[in-house]
Structures are given as C-alpha cells and as structure tokens.
Amino acid sequence: MNLQALIEDIRQQTLPFYDHGQVADYIPALASVPPHQFGMAISTLDGRHYACGDAEQPFSIQSISKAFMLALTLQVDGEALWQHVGKEPSGNPFNSLVQLEYEHGIPRNPFINAGALVVTDRAIRHFGDAHRQLLDWLREESGAPGLAANERIAASEREHGDRNAALAHFMKSYGNLRHPVEQVLEQYFHNCSIEMSCRQLARAGLFLANHGVSPVTTRQYLSRSQAKQVNAVMLTCGTYDAAGEFAYRVGLPVKSGVGGGLLAVIPGKMSIAVWSPQLDSRGNSVLGLEALDRFTTRTGLSIF
C-alpha cells in the first residue's frame, strides 16, 4: 500500500469540508488561527514516516496533552490513579460541572477537563513540575528538542479559565485535589498550550501503538496492560461526547484537542496525527474526522 499517495488523495477529498466548522473562539488566542489548514502524518513501528499538507506547522495540542499526561502519571501512580478518576464516557461537554456533585468530586474519565486536572494533580505529587516532565518526554519522543508551550495561549487560557477553576475548587472541596488549585491550573494550562506539528505528534504517539514501549528510545513507559488501558479510554472517551461517532466511523483509539488536532493509534502498526483547526459543535476537527474515516475505510485498518 502506498501510504504517501493515499494520504495525499485523502487530503484532496477532505478540502471541500472547509467551512463546515469554525475555529475555537472561547480561547481568544486560538480564534486567530487561519482556518484553511490541513496536515496529516503517519509514523509506523518499522520506522517509516509519511506526511502531507501542513504537517510541519506547529499547533496547540490542547487536550491531546491529556493522553500523554495520563500515560506519564499512570506509569508512576499505577492502579491508585483510578481511585481518583473514572474510566467511563461522560456524555456531557468536556468542561461540564454537572456530574461532579452527585459523584462526590470524582470525574468520569481522565479526558474531560475535571479528570485531566485530577491527573495533573497526581502528576505533581510524583514529579513536582509535571509540565516540565511532560515537555521533556515529548521533546525526546518527538525528536524535537525545541518543543515548548506557547505562553500567549497559556495566558489566554488563564484569563478565560473560570470554569476550569470552578471544577478544580469543587473537586478540592471533596478532597480529590491535594495541591493548590492555582498550581494545578497553571501546569494544566501550560500542558494544553504545548505546540507540536503533525509529524512530531505522530512520532511521539508511537509508544501507544507499541504496547507502551517507545520504538524511538526503546524505553518501556507503560506495561502492556497499562497501554491497553490508555488506548481503551481514548476509544471510549477521547473525543469528548462524540466518542460513539468516532468509534463508528473511524474505529480507532483517538484523542482530540480544540486546537484542531487528532492523534489516532493503530496498535501493532502505527500512529496517525491529523490537524485542521475548524471544529464541529462537539469540539473535534471537521476535516480530521473526515480524513481518519477515509483512511480506515480505504485501508481496512481499524481495531474492529
């Protein structure tokens, strides 16, 4: 299969979907991103790399950082992590407060904002500076030592982070955050503000396709069972309240971000990163979903 030709063709097929969504505007620093951009990159376990379109353009990975932070924290926290955050789809928007009260401050899963704040809090317990730990890891795995958070985006998130602050304070009132709310929020905002290209993101995600072992550095970050857990939660919870749509159309573990990025994993084979900043009503990239749908349909590569 000529994967380079395939993704070039998929790019052409998805371009007519421009303007079927809109760039995230609740974070003002993201609202200014030029909307008509599309990049796609594939990294395989046998060391091949393919890319097309705007695959070299850095973008804010936003909630995709939650998948990496979950893996980083699960590595050191083990099963204790799941006492503080659940594994079930929420069925509500990613920044909803609805379920926290009647579930006693335990978020439904690690990928809604409340859950990611809890995971960040657990990571601070182990690493102190969880953001620095995550950034160093991503730099090594992506082969891009210059990776950094965009301070302008982090500041914009901080300025408009009242709902996240409410989530954090509410969970702290139940004893499910150990560290000061401001410390957790600061590291969380900086994680979301990390900028990566599709090519870098696909390479960094390869360890999830290789049962927790990095084919880049040969390090085992997760046990086989833990890698299965992360991929399973990506499948059921990784695309906000559109996980059913992604499972139906794409059939892969996927983590999305409101910066327009998507990271998909084909266990035992490859990782795929797609980016296009126009989002649908549930916060997922319109062109990204179309591209992944076409990729798995045409290749037959899904977990089903």
Side-chain angles (χ1 to χ4, degrees):
M1 184 183 302
N2 187 336
L3 289 179
Q4 185 62 47
L6 175 61
I7 62 174
E8 294 280 3
D9 189 43
I10 287 173
R11 175 175 176 267
Q12 292 302 318
Q13 291 180 2
T14 60
L15 295 184
F17 288 88
Y18 277 148
D19 300 321
H20 286 219
Q22 60 183 18
V23 174
D25 57 5
Y26 73 97
I27 301 171
L30 295 181
S32 61
V33 175
H36 289 185
Q37 300 184 80
F38 174 89
M40 188 171 186
I42 296 172
S43 288
T44 67
L45 291 184
D46 59 2
R48 291 173 293 156
H49 303 278
Y50 308 91
C52 71
D54 300 301
E56 305 292 350
Q57 176 64 40
F59 61 91
S60 177
I61 66 172
Q62 291 293 312
S63 286
I64 299 173
S65 66
K66 297 172 184 176
F68 292 107
M69 182 54 77
L70 173 61
L72 187 70
T73 307
L74 188 60
Q75 175 190 3
V76 293
D77 214 18
E79 289 299 306
L81 176 63
W82 303 117
Q83 297 173 22
H84 300 271
V85 63
K87 316 179 190 74
E88 299 296 334
S90 70
N92 286 310
F94 57 86
N95 58 356
S96 173
L97 291 101
V98 171
Q99 291 166 333
L100 278 179
E101 182 167 12
Y102 61 81
E103 293 182 352
H104 309 292
I106 305 294
R108 276 286 177 95
N109 66 70
F111 295 150
I112 56 175
N113 288 13
L117 288 167
V118 168
V119 173
T120 302
D121 180 70
R122 299 294 295 176
I124 292 171
R125 176 174 179 259
H126 292 284
F127 302 116
D129 191 340
H131 171 65
R132 173 58 57 184
Q133 189 77 15
L134 176 63
L135 193 56
D136 288 346
W137 183 26
L138 290 177
R139 285 170 172 169
E140 185 171 24
E141 289 303 309
S142 67
L147 283 185
N150 183 312
E151 292 295 338
R152 183 176 67 89
I153 294 176
S156 186
E157 295 206 36
R158 191 185 307 113
E159 279 180 43
H160 297 82
D162 292 337
R163 185 177 290 265
N164 284 319
L167 292 167
H169 282 292
F170 196 84
M171 291 186 294
K172 192 168 181 64
S173 74
Y174 278 97
N176 203 24
L177 282 189
R178 294 183 53 171
H179 297 91
V181 166
E182 287 306 316
Q183 181 185 12
V184 176
L185 288 172
E186 190 67 18
Q187 297 203 22
Y188 170 78
F189 291 146
H190 274 83
N191 289 344
C192 291
S193 301
I194 292 170
E195 291 188 320
M196 301 179 73
S197 69
C198 287
R199 190 184 292 274
Q200 293 164 349
L201 186 58
R203 177 169 164 159
L206 269 176
F207 77 102
L208 289 172
N210 198 37
H211 309 298
V213 179
S214 167
V216 178
T217 62
T218 71
R219 294 181 185 173
Q220 181 159 359
Y221 291 111
L222 299 174
S223 69
R224 192 181 186 98
S225 177
Q226 288 172 331
K228 178 190 71 175
Q229 291 172 4
V230 174
N231 282 329
V233 178
M234 285 174 66
L235 177 71
T236 58
C237 309
T239 49
Y240 311 123
D241 52 337
E245 179 77 2
F246 270 79
Y248 179 82
R249 291 184 59 184
V250 178
L252 295 175
V254 179
K255 185 70 197 84
S256 65
V258 296
L262 295 164
L263 174 65
V265 177
I266 305 180
K269 295 186 180 295
M270 65 185 70
S271 61
I272 307 168
V274 190
W275 171 65
S276 186
Q278 291 181 313
L279 310 177
D280 61 23
S281 61
R282 291 180 286 191
N284 298 303
S285 173
V286 173
L287 271 68
L289 172 56
E290 295 295 333
L292 289 177
D293 183 359
R294 283 162 173 72
F295 182 86
T296 56
T297 299
R298 292 176 62 175
T299 63
L301 294 174
S302 84
I303 62 172
F304 300 112

Short mmCIF file of all heavy atoms in Angstrom, two decimals, residues 197-222:
data_model
loop_
_atom_site.label_atom_id
_atom_site.label_comp_id
_atom_site.label_asym_id
_atom_site.label_seq_id
_atom_site.Cartn_x
_atom_site.Cartn_y
_atom_site.Cartn_z
N SER A 197 3.85 19.80 15.70
CA SER A 197 3.37 19.57 14.34
C SER A 197 2.79 18.16 14.25
O SER A 197 2.99 17.32 15.14
CB SER A 197 4.51 19.72 13.34
OG SER A 197 5.44 18.64 13.50
N CYS A 198 2.08 17.88 13.17
CA CYS A 198 1.55 16.53 12.97
C CYS A 198 2.68 15.50 12.94
O CYS A 198 2.55 14.42 13.52
CB CYS A 198 0.77 16.46 11.65
SG CYS A 198 -0.83 17.27 11.68
N ARG A 199 3.76 15.84 12.26
CA ARG A 199 4.87 14.89 12.17
C ARG A 199 5.43 14.57 13.56
O ARG A 199 5.70 13.41 13.89
CB ARG A 199 5.97 15.45 11.27
CG ARG A 199 7.05 14.42 10.93
CD ARG A 199 8.16 15.06 10.12
NE ARG A 199 7.75 15.44 8.78
CZ ARG A 199 7.77 14.63 7.73
NH1 ARG A 199 8.13 13.36 7.87
NH2 ARG A 199 7.42 15.07 6.54
N GLN A 200 5.60 15.60 14.38
CA GLN A 200 6.12 15.39 15.74
C GLN A 200 5.13 14.62 16.60
O GLN A 200 5.52 13.73 17.37
CB GLN A 200 6.42 16.75 16.37
CG GLN A 200 7.57 17.50 15.71
CD GLN A 200 7.61 18.97 16.07
OE1 GLN A 200 6.65 19.50 16.65
NE2 GLN A 200 8.69 19.65 15.73
N LEU A 201 3.86 14.93 16.47
CA LEU A 201 2.84 14.28 17.28
C LEU A 201 2.71 12.80 16.94
O LEU A 201 2.59 11.96 17.83
CB LEU A 201 1.50 15.00 17.07
CG LEU A 201 0.33 14.56 17.93
CD1 LEU A 201 0.63 14.70 19.42
CD2 LEU A 201 -0.92 15.36 17.56
N ALA A 202 2.73 12.48 15.66
CA ALA A 202 2.63 11.07 15.25
C ALA A 202 3.81 10.28 15.80
O ALA A 202 3.64 9.15 16.29
CB ALA A 202 2.57 10.97 13.73
N ARG A 203 4.98 10.85 15.74
CA ARG A 203 6.16 10.15 16.26
C ARG A 203 6.07 9.97 17.77
O ARG A 203 6.38 8.89 18.30
CB ARG A 203 7.42 10.93 15.89
CG ARG A 203 8.69 10.33 16.45
CD ARG A 203 9.92 10.97 15.85
NE ARG A 203 11.11 10.65 16.65
CZ ARG A 203 12.35 10.71 16.21
NH1 ARG A 203 12.59 11.05 14.97
NH2 ARG A 203 13.36 10.43 17.00
N ALA A 204 5.62 11.00 18.49
CA ALA A 204 5.53 10.92 19.95
C ALA A 204 4.50 9.90 20.40
O ALA A 204 4.63 9.32 21.48
CB ALA A 204 5.20 12.29 20.53
N GLY A 205 3.46 9.68 19.60
CA GLY A 205 2.41 8.74 19.98
C GLY A 205 2.70 7.29 19.68
O GLY A 205 1.88 6.41 20.01
N LEU A 206 3.85 6.99 19.10
CA LEU A 206 4.14 5.62 18.68
C LEU A 206 4.16 4.62 19.83
O LEU A 206 3.85 3.44 19.64
CB LEU A 206 5.47 5.56 17.94
CG LEU A 206 5.42 5.73 16.42
CD1 LEU A 206 6.84 5.75 15.86
CD2 LEU A 206 4.60 4.63 15.76
N PHE A 207 4.53 5.06 21.03
CA PHE A 207 4.62 4.10 22.14
C PHE A 207 3.26 3.48 22.44
O PHE A 207 3.17 2.34 22.92
CB PHE A 207 5.21 4.77 23.39
CG PHE A 207 4.24 5.64 24.14
CD1 PHE A 207 3.63 5.19 25.31
CD2 PHE A 207 3.92 6.91 23.69
CE1 PHE A 207 2.73 5.98 26.01
CE2 PHE A 207 3.04 7.71 24.38
CZ PHE A 207 2.44 7.25 25.54
N LEU A 208 2.18 4.20 22.15
CA LEU A 208 0.84 3.64 22.38
C LEU A 208 0.49 2.58 21.34
O LEU A 208 -0.36 1.72 21.59
CB LEU A 208 -0.20 4.76 22.37
CG LEU A 208 -0.18 5.70 23.57
CD1 LEU A 208 -1.12 6.88 23.36
CD2 LEU A 208 -0.53 4.94 24.85
N ALA A 209 1.12 2.65 20.18
CA ALA A 209 0.92 1.61 19.17
C ALA A 209 1.82 0.41 19.41
O ALA A 209 1.65 -0.64 18.78
CB ALA A 209 1.19 2.18 17.78
N ASN A 210 2.78 0.56 20.33
CA ASN A 210 3.78 -0.49 20.56
C ASN A 210 3.69 -1.03 21.99
O ASN A 210 4.68 -1.35 22.62
CB ASN A 210 5.19 0.06 20.29
CG ASN A 210 6.21 -1.03 20.09
OD1 ASN A 210 5.93 -2.06 19.49
ND2 ASN A 210 7.42 -0.79 20.56
N HIS A 211 2.46 -1.11 22.52
CA HIS A 211 2.19 -1.70 23.82
C HIS A 211 2.99 -1.05 24.95
O HIS A 211 3.45 -1.71 25.88
CB HIS A 211 2.46 -3.21 23.79
CG HIS A 211 1.78 -3.91 22.64
ND1 HIS A 211 0.40 -3.94 22.51
CD2 HIS A 211 2.28 -4.59 21.57
CE1 HIS A 211 0.08 -4.61 21.42
NE2 HIS A 211 1.20 -5.02 20.83
N GLY A 212 3.16 0.27 24.84
CA GLY A 212 3.81 1.02 25.91
C GLY A 212 5.31 1.18 25.78
O GLY A 212 5.92 1.85 26.61
N VAL A 213 5.91 0.59 24.74
CA VAL A 213 7.35 0.67 24.54
C VAL A 213 7.65 1.64 23.41
O VAL A 213 7.08 1.53 22.32
CB VAL A 213 7.95 -0.71 24.21
CG1 VAL A 213 9.46 -0.60 23.97
CG2 VAL A 213 7.66 -1.70 25.32
N SER A 214 8.53 2.59 23.65
CA SER A 214 8.89 3.55 22.61
C SER A 214 9.80 2.92 21.57
O SER A 214 10.89 2.44 21.91
CB SER A 214 9.61 4.76 23.22
OG SER A 214 10.21 5.53 22.20
N PRO A 215 9.39 2.87 20.31
CA PRO A 215 10.32 2.39 19.27
C PRO A 215 11.39 3.42 18.95
O PRO A 215 12.37 3.11 18.28
CB PRO A 215 9.39 2.17 18.07
CG PRO A 215 8.26 3.10 18.28
CD PRO A 215 8.08 3.23 19.76
N VAL A 216 11.22 4.64 19.46
CA VAL A 216 12.19 5.71 19.23
C VAL A 216 13.36 5.56 20.19
O VAL A 216 14.53 5.58 19.79
CB VAL A 216 11.53 7.10 19.40
CG1 VAL A 216 12.57 8.20 19.22
CG2 VAL A 216 10.38 7.27 18.41
N THR A 217 13.05 5.41 21.49
CA THR A 217 14.11 5.34 22.51
C THR A 217 14.26 3.94 23.12
O THR A 217 15.17 3.72 23.92
CB THR A 217 13.81 6.32 23.65
OG1 THR A 217 12.57 5.95 24.28
CG2 THR A 217 13.69 7.74 23.12
N THR A 218 13.37 3.02 22.76
CA THR A 218 13.30 1.63 23.27
C THR A 218 12.93 1.56 24.76
O THR A 218 13.02 0.50 25.36
CB THR A 218 14.60 0.84 23.02
OG1 THR A 218 15.64 1.34 23.87
CG2 THR A 218 15.03 0.90 21.58
N ARG A 219 12.50 2.66 25.35
CA ARG A 219 12.11 2.65 26.75
C ARG A 219 10.69 2.12 26.91
O ARG A 219 9.82 2.42 26.10
CB ARG A 219 12.20 4.06 27.35
CG ARG A 219 13.60 4.61 27.42
CD ARG A 219 13.60 5.99 28.03
NE ARG A 219 14.92 6.58 28.01
CZ ARG A 219 15.18 7.83 28.37
NH1 ARG A 219 14.20 8.63 28.76
NH2 ARG A 219 16.42 8.31 28.32
N GLN A 220 10.46 1.37 27.97
CA GLN A 220 9.12 0.91 28.28
C GLN A 220 8.48 1.88 29.26
O GLN A 220 8.80 1.92 30.43
CB GLN A 220 9.14 -0.51 28.87
CG GLN A 220 7.73 -1.00 29.17
CD GLN A 220 7.64 -2.51 29.26
OE1 GLN A 220 8.63 -3.22 29.08
NE2 GLN A 220 6.45 -3.02 29.52
N TYR A 221 7.56 2.68 28.74
CA TYR A 221 6.89 3.69 29.57
C TYR A 221 5.69 3.09 30.31
O TYR A 221 5.39 3.48 31.43
CB TYR A 221 6.43 4.86 28.72
CG TYR A 221 7.57 5.69 28.19
CD1 TYR A 221 7.88 5.69 26.84
CD2 TYR A 221 8.35 6.46 29.04
CE1 TYR A 221 8.92 6.45 26.34
CE2 TYR A 221 9.40 7.22 28.56
CZ TYR A 221 9.69 7.22 27.21
OH TYR A 221 10.74 7.96 26.73
N LEU A 222 5.00 2.17 29.68
CA LEU A 222 3.83 1.55 30.27
C LEU A 222 3.93 0.04 30.12
O LEU A 222 4.55 -0.46 29.17
CB LEU A 222 2.54 2.02 29.56
CG LEU A 222 2.21 3.51 29.60
CD1 LEU A 222 1.01 3.79 28.71
CD2 LEU A 222 1.95 3.98 31.02
#
